[in-house]
Amino acid sequence: LQFTEEKLGQAEKTELDAHFENLLARADCTKNWTEKILRQTEVLLQPNPSARVEEFLYEKLDRKVPSRVTNGELLAQYMTEAANDFGPGTPYGKTLIKVGETQRRLGAAEREFIHSASINFLTPLRNFLEGDWRTISKERRILQNRRLDLDACKARLKKAKAAEAKAAVT
């Protein structure tokens, strides 16, 4: 009732401290930017949306995500197979072996980067959103309910005093 009357402009609302309001605004801003950065980093690390959904499901089911071959490693595999098919002694075969080995190392570095970024960057962001932010939201709801209770009590007190004053006059 108090919430509805406040929204309709019929009830008085106790304002929170300006510093506290600033902190709440900063917390909201932090949450929004953290979500955006987390999502975009996930897109950067895994551009394939269906693979991201699969990884998300494995994570939620507490299962180990199966290891994927990176595009660089797959290219290296194809180059090595082609070099063996052409013959490792031919100039083209030798070149494919060298380039394939370099692609394999690049693919392994990419895999290590994805793993490292996931553990060292994405995990703290997720921990904030799933832990700290939930706590902040819960405490904010509790504070809002307490404020509404306080305002409702103030309104009842004001009505009681008005009724007393009216009774005293008559």
Side-chain angles (χ1 to χ4, degrees):
L1 181 65
Q2 178 69 26
F3 179 77
T4 305
E5 286 180 353
E6 284 177 9
K7 290 298 179 186
L8 296 174
Q10 297 173 350
E12 201 173 298
K13 178 179 178 182
T14 301
E15 295 298 324
L16 299 174
D17 180 47
H19 178 68
F20 185 73
E21 289 284 352
N22 185 28
L23 287 175
L24 288 176
R26 284 182 41 207
D28 288 336
C29 185
T30 301
K31 179 212 177 238
N32 291 335
W33 279 111
T34 302
E35 285 176 334
K36 288 177 183 178
I37 290 169
L38 177 71
R39 278 193 307 267
Q40 194 56 42
T41 304
E42 287 173 338
V43 168
L44 175 74
L45 295 177
Q46 179 51 267
N48 184 344
S50 62
R52 280 198 311 275
V53 169
E54 182 183 0
E55 289 172 3
F56 175 77
L57 289 175
Y58 274 108
E59 184 181 303
K60 289 301 175 189
L61 295 173
D62 289 331
R63 299 264 174 107
K64 186 176 183 295
V65 179
S67 181
R68 281 197 175 74
V69 176
T70 64
N71 291 329
E73 291 171 321
L74 189 59
L75 179 59
Q77 180 184 344
Y78 290 164
M79 287 180 168
T80 304
E81 289 173 6
N84 290 333
D85 205 25
F86 287 118
T90 65
Y92 188 43
K94 285 180 189 177
T95 303
L96 283 175
I97 288 174
K98 284 182 182 178
V99 175
E101 180 58 27
T102 303
Q103 282 296 330
R104 186 192 61 73
R105 289 196 311 263
L106 283 171
E110 179 184 8
R111 179 191 305 276
E112 177 58 31
F113 169 73
I114 290 170
H115 179 71
S116 175
S118 178
I119 290 173
N120 299 321
F121 185 69
L122 294 179
T123 300
L125 295 179
R126 283 190 189 106
N127 288 344
F128 167 74
L129 291 173
E130 293 171 3
D132 297 340
W133 181 253
R134 283 193 179 156
T135 304
I136 291 169
S137 297
K138 181 179 139 195
E139 295 299 328
R140 181 185 270 180
R141 279 190 305 275
I142 291 170
L143 176 65
Q144 178 72 359
N145 288 335
R146 298 289 188 257
R147 187 197 57 76
L148 287 170
D149 291 344
L150 173 68
D151 289 349
C153 289
K154 282 181 178 179
R156 271 190 254 127
L157 179 64
K158 191 176 180 182
K159 284 180 185 176
K161 283 185 179 180
E164 266 182 30
K166 187 178 180 182
V169 169
T170 57

